[in-house]
Amino acid sequence: MAIAAARRRAASGEPVIVTVDDVSTTVFQHYGYVVEREQAAAALRHAFEAVGGRSDCMTDAFD
């Protein structure tokens, strides 16, 4: 959901930027859960790798 929201926010031709904080915020807003930063980063890495690490996406989950 965080990646989809980042795609909607990005202007045409701009890279999609989705952060670990975006994931944490999305989880809290939709489910009311607080997740640790490392858990959010792992989930984002998994989702990013599942779509083949598209070149139009950037993330801080690998830092």
Side-chain angles (χ1 to χ4, degrees), residues 3-61:
I3 293 172
R7 286 191 185 284
R8 288 190 298 272
R9 285 192 309 264
S12 180
E14 286 186 357
V16 175
I17 300 171
V18 59
T19 67
V20 174
D21 288 338
D22 292 337
V23 174
S24 297
T25 300
T26 299
V27 170
F28 184 75
Q29 288 176 342
H30 287 272
Y31 304 106
Y33 294 117
V34 176
V35 293
E36 297 293 324
R37 182 169 178 78
E38 223 14 75
Q39 291 174 312
L44 184 52
R45 284 191 299 269
H46 177 75
F48 191 77
E49 290 167 350
V51 296
R54 294 188 182 159
S55 61
D56 68 332
C57 290
M58 295 174 21
T59 182
D60 62 350

